[in-house]
Amino acid sequence: MKKIYVVLLLAATVCSAQVKKGKLLWEENFDSKTLNESVWNYELGDGCPNVCGWGNNERQIYTTKNHRLEDGKLIITIKKEDDKYTSTRITTAGKKEFKYGYMEARAKLPVGYGIWPAFWMLGSNIIQAGWPLAGEIDILEYVGKEPDMVYTTLHTKANHGDHASSKKTEFTDIEEGYHTYGANWTADFIEFYVDGKSVYKFMPENKTEEIWPFNQPFYFIINTAVGGNFGGPKVDDSIFPQEFIVDYVKVYSN
């Protein structure tokens, strides 16, 4: 799943359209004492030998010890420990997968140069089809080197890496408190929202496999990376530890 992120589009303003949610289909409120492993998988290490640096020259090592559940929240703690960075990456692959719906997380971002939190989805056929043919939906990406910016991105065989279908939008208070990040995914389009306001819509007319892999189930990923092609390469070690706090993940019908 090698990805090189260079965003091509810049938004100076946010669209006014408000999201309309349907019936609540599933929710994760992190209200247990430990992570529910009937829903979540851990992805561990540095990605080697298959995707060293997780395909992006990232510098963190993922563990089972860099998170906790507290007061109904998932708290991922990103640390600098001796000569390495540690973090957490969890997925719902093979356990909770969805085709269409409004996907939303409420979260508080970590901040600082080199930090890279994300709430995203991959096609459930990723092992068979590989990346980027399986498709990727990046509902939230934030990089500390670009304060006040939220990235929303789609990777497909036709448009990925340097040419991903992507947009970044300015929110001057995004580092303050909690915000919601969502994607309304239908058979015809995917539209991204921040705090309920539309920021980007992808609606291609020609939906070939290379352009529109979004006609199959996808699963969630929550993680925070350090450095890499998108988050770095420079990392400010003075910022650590940092916390990526997720209040909930919810899926609604369209």
Side-chain angles (χ1 to χ4, degrees):
M1 294 177 285
K2 188 170 183 179
K3 301 173 285 184
I4 303 173
Y5 289 79
V6 178
V7 174
L8 304 177
L9 302 174
L10 173 64
T13 59
V14 179
C15 300
S16 60
Q18 294 285 333
V19 65
K20 294 181 180 179
K21 303 175 186 177
K23 179 182 178 181
L24 180 64
L25 302 177
W26 177 74
E27 61 183 329
E28 170 62 272
N29 292 301
F30 302 109
D31 51 7
S32 301
K33 292 183 179 180
T34 59
L35 202 63
N36 183 355
E37 293 189 43
S38 69
V39 173
W40 298 99
N41 312 290
Y42 292 102
E43 292 193 328
L44 304 174
D46 59 4
C48 290
N50 297 324
V51 282
C52 291
W54 298 99
N56 302 291
N57 295 312
E58 297 163 28
R59 298 171 64 178
Q60 79 288 339
I61 295 172
Y62 290 123
T63 80
T64 60
K65 300 179 179 179
N66 282 70
H67 76 283
R68 67 186 189 276
L69 272 62
E70 184 177 285
D71 298 327
K73 295 176 176 62
L74 167 68
I75 303 172
I76 294 176
T77 303
I78 309 93
K79 302 177 182 179
K80 175 71 184 296
E81 301 182 78
D82 298 324
D83 61 345
K84 63 183 179 181
Y85 304 96
T86 59
S87 184
T88 291
R89 172 166 160 152
I90 57 174
T91 88
T92 63
K95 297 177 179 178
K96 288 292 179 182
E97 299 180 348
F98 300 92
K99 178 182 176 182
Y100 309 141
Y102 180 73
M103 322 294 177
E104 182 180 80
R106 182 175 183 264
K108 186 177 188 298
L109 299 174
V111 298
Y113 212 103
I115 210 76
W116 177 10
F119 168 58
W120 51 300
M121 305 182 79
L122 280 175
S124 60
N125 67 339
I126 184 70
I127 295 176
Q128 295 78 21
W131 189 92
L133 186 59
E136 177 176 327
I137 304 171
D138 297 329
I139 302 172
L140 158 69
E141 287 184 293
Y142 169 87
V143 286
K145 66 181 181 181
E146 295 189 64
D148 305 331
M149 294 294 177
V150 174
Y151 286 78
T152 49
T153 303
L154 295 168
H155 292 272
T156 66
K157 181 68 174 178
N159 295 285
H160 63 274
D162 290 0
H163 305 287
S165 302
S166 184
K167 192 171 184 180
K168 66 178 181 179
T169 308
E170 182 176 12
F171 291 87
T172 56
D173 64 344
I174 204 65
E175 291 88 2
E176 304 298 324
Y178 290 85
H179 298 270
T180 59
Y181 306 91
N184 189 27
W185 168 24
T186 76
D188 298 314
F189 64 84
I190 297 177
E191 187 167 12
F192 294 95
Y193 294 81
V194 177
D195 290 334
K197 296 181 179 180
S198 174
V199 295
Y200 177 51
K201 187 174 184 178
F202 181 70
M203 188 170 60
E205 291 185 6
N206 187 17
K207 290 181 171 59
T208 65
E209 183 182 19
E210 291 76 16
I211 295 172
W212 187 263
F214 309 112
N215 57 357
Q216 60 160 329
F218 274 57
Y219 63 85
F220 289 113
I221 304 172
I222 299 173
N223 71 291
T224 302
V226 177
N229 300 336
F230 193 43
K234 181 180 177 181
V235 178
D236 179 3
D237 288 346
S238 70
I239 69 173
F240 298 102
Q242 283 289 316
E243 292 183 338
F244 182 29
I245 307 176
V246 182
D247 184 19
Y248 63 71
V249 178
K250 295 184 180 182
V251 178
Y252 298 86
S253 63
N254 298 117

